[in-house]
Amino acid sequence: GGVTGDVVLLEAAPPIAVLRLNRPEKLNAISAQLIRALDAHLAALAADDGIAAVVLIGGERAFAAGADVEDLPPPAEAPPAS
């Protein structure tokens, strides 16, 4: 639920905010949805004068596995060899 789909969880204890990547089933692989959620949280935190630092953390098994290959666009076809 939530605007960000809960792929990023926010725990704020001013002056510190903690953002936790929350896609454990994908080892926190970075997807377009996760990037949008991070962007939304970071924009809100940047506007909050009570927050001085943001800590980004992952899960118990992995911080982030890298890009979510299932979320990547299909590769463009290579031009024919000449």
Side-chain angles (χ1 to χ4, degrees), residues 11-82:
E11 300 168 32
I16 298 169
V18 176
L19 292 175
R20 178 186 300 272
L21 305 181
N22 187 38
R23 295 186 73 212
E25 72 286 353
K26 296 280 190 170
L27 296 177
N28 293 327
I30 306 298
S31 65
Q33 179 188 17
L34 189 136
I35 290 171
R36 286 190 301 273
L38 274 175
D39 186 53
H41 279 300
L42 290 170
L45 292 168
D48 185 339
D49 291 337
I51 299 297
V54 177
V55 179
L56 181 62
I57 61 176
E60 293 179 16
R61 291 181 53 215
F63 171 72
D68 187 342
V69 294
E70 293 176 7
D71 197 46
L72 296 175
E77 273 193 43
S82 50

